[in-house]
Amino acid sequence: MKVRIKFKKYGVMRFIGHLDIMRFFQKAIRRSGIDICYSSGFSPHQIMSFAAPLGVGYCSEGEYFDIEINSHSGTKDFVNKLNQSMVPGIEIVSAKLLPDGAKNAMASVAAAKYRITYKNPSEYAVDFSDWIMPYLSQDTIMITKQTKKSERTIDIKPNIYELSFEDGILNMMVDASSSGNIKPITVFESLCKFAKVSCEPLQIQITRVDTYLNAGSPESPVFKPLEEAGDDF
């Protein structure tokens, strides 16, 4: 049986990197007594698959990973057992049993929604209200993307699904798939450049609101949170 687990990450835990989060959950699952499946072979390991990695320093209200289990005693008991093994800054939100043949968490990711706020609004905040429409009305939104070996110029407009500004909060939904992943800080910096305002990455807090799969088609996407791929058990 494959189970998809949704969790929050906040507080000091936002500074813990992806690999350490994976190791934390491996130990937490052992402590919780969850009947997880292990791989075969000389060095068996827990069968676990995480969705899109979260940038260090980001908070999240919608992180996901899948595990395979041999048995369970129901959704409520499963979530309670895991939460008893968590630390401040990590909270299990839900657990869903996935149907047979469902894609794993990493392969399912199509988009992610983010919320950007200023840590010190009185000193650094920028009002983007009048800039969102003209920014999105451009024929293209070109940025220079740095890779390990080189840099290339790409158009990120097709990868921005939603962008709005309300009550001092910049909200966006962007492509988070393996083929078209766009970082929220990239959109923020591009918008600041377009509005000709100072970009202060250290003065903002980025929160991933949720991670989404595409229940539609590439041409007509229908985005749903990853947890909606399964049901309570």
Side-chain angles (χ1 to χ4, degrees), residues 20 90-92 109 130 185:
D20 287 325
I90 298 287
E91 177 186 344
I92 305 300
V109 174
D130 296 331
I185 188 65

Side-chain angles (χ1 to χ4, degrees), residues 71-214:
S71 63
H72 63 80
S73 55
T75 304
K76 185 175 180 180
D77 184 64
F78 185 94
V79 171
N80 286 340
K81 281 182 177 178
L82 275 179
N83 270 325
Q84 289 171 7
S85 298
M86 296 299 103
V87 297
I90 298 287
E91 177 186 344
I92 305 300
V93 177
S94 68
K96 302 290 183 178
L97 188 65
L98 295 175
D100 294 339
K103 292 182 180 179
N104 65 34
M106 181 175 290
S108 299
V109 174
K113 186 174 288 186
Y114 295 92
R115 179 174 64 243
I116 298 181
T117 56
Y118 280 89
K119 298 175 183 177
N120 188 354
S122 62
E123 187 174 352
Y124 290 101
V126 175
D127 186 350
F128 290 108
S129 302
D130 296 331
W131 294 103
I132 299 296
M133 285 298 292
Y135 177 75
L136 293 177
S137 297
Q138 299 177 96
D139 293 333
T140 60
I141 301 176
M142 308 303 295
I143 61 107
T144 300
K145 190 171 185 179
Q146 188 73 43
T147 65
K148 291 182 179 180
K149 296 183 179 180
S150 62
E151 63 179 30
R152 58 194 180 99
T153 301
I154 61 171
D155 178 15
I156 63 171
K157 183 176 179 178
N159 307 87
I160 303 174
Y161 302 127
E162 296 176 10
L163 186 64
S164 64
F165 184 80
E166 186 176 0
D167 297 328
I169 300 172
L170 184 65
N171 299 288
M172 68 179 73
M173 181 183 281
V174 296
D175 191 333
S177 66
S178 58
S179 60
N181 180 47
I182 296 296
K183 296 179 181 179
I185 188 65
T186 299
V187 179
F188 175 74
E189 290 175 342
S190 172
L191 179 60
C192 286
K193 183 178 180 180
F194 178 80
K196 296 181 173 60
V197 296
S198 176
C199 178
E200 300 286 349
L202 295 179
Q203 299 303 325
I204 61 172
Q205 178 60 58
I206 300 177
T207 299
R208 182 183 278 168
V209 178
D210 216 327
T211 311
Y212 298 82
L213 55 83
N214 182 7

